[in-house]
Amino acid sequence: MLIPKPGRNSHSRPKDFRPISLTSFLLKIMERLVDRYLREEALALLPLHPNQHAYQAAKSMEIALHQLMVWVEKAFDQQERTLDIFLDIVGAFNTCYDSMCDALVKHGCDSIVRWIRDTLEGLMVAVILNVLP
């Protein structure tokens, strides 16, 4: 949900609006506590693979794609006859949280997984669209 920011001359750009979060402040506190626990405890004991770009500082999808392109360009520069690329991006864009929960279990965060499942399973979202004439 977005509301127009006061003092703006127009409201034609996304920056002219302020988002409203419908998440309760208790969930926001839990999110910060879980984030702190993961960064300081779970990932300190069992770090992510260096090629993992999610949940790591200074890494992003753009960097991962850049690394892939550098690798492809090197293959072309070496004039290799064939180049087979298998890119599995299902986990990067799927809306299911099973892969996230599986990774948390591997890092010994079973209680967080239970909290996530209890919070998100069965969650319904309603969207109301008001079209102005």
Side-chain angles (χ1 to χ4, degrees):
M1 179 180 240
L2 301 169
I3 59 170
K5 287 183 180 177
R8 299 286 178 153
N9 293 336
S10 73
H11 294 98
S12 58
R13 299 173 302 161
K15 291 173 21 176
D16 297 331
F17 294 89
R18 176 179 293 129
I20 296 176
S21 175
L22 300 177
T23 307
S24 76
F25 72 96
L26 289 175
L27 287 177
K28 290 180 183 183
I29 291 170
M30 280 298 290
E31 179 183 355
R32 288 184 182 178
L33 290 172
V34 167
D35 182 67
R36 179 178 289 170
Y37 171 77
L38 289 174
R39 291 183 189 276
E40 295 176 4
E41 304 275 336
L43 294 177
L45 294 174
L46 184 61
L48 295 172
H49 189 279
N51 290 336
Q52 173 70 35
H53 281 66
Y55 219 83
Q56 291 198 44
K59 291 191 176 183
S60 65
M61 180 186 65
E62 288 85 6
I63 293 172
L65 290 174
H66 174 72
Q67 289 176 345
L68 174 65
M69 291 309 300
V70 167
W71 184 80
V72 169
E73 288 173 359
K74 282 182 184 177
F76 283 134
D77 288 344
Q78 295 171 358
Q79 297 179 350
E80 294 185 13
R81 292 182 169 231
T82 60
L83 178 63
D84 296 330
I85 298 176
F86 299 96
L87 185 59
D88 179 12
I89 59 171
V90 173
F93 298 103
N94 76 15
T95 57
C96 182
Y97 54 85
D98 289 336
S99 59
M100 175 185 67
C101 291
D102 292 344
L104 285 167
V105 168
K106 288 179 187 175
H107 282 82
C109 302
D110 297 21
S111 58
I112 295 174
V113 172
R114 283 193 305 276
W115 177 72
I116 290 170
R117 290 193 187 278
D118 289 345
T119 304
L120 297 180
E121 283 185 357
L123 185 69
M124 296 182 66
V125 176
V127 177
I128 301 170
L129 179 61
N130 292 327
V131 179
L132 300 175

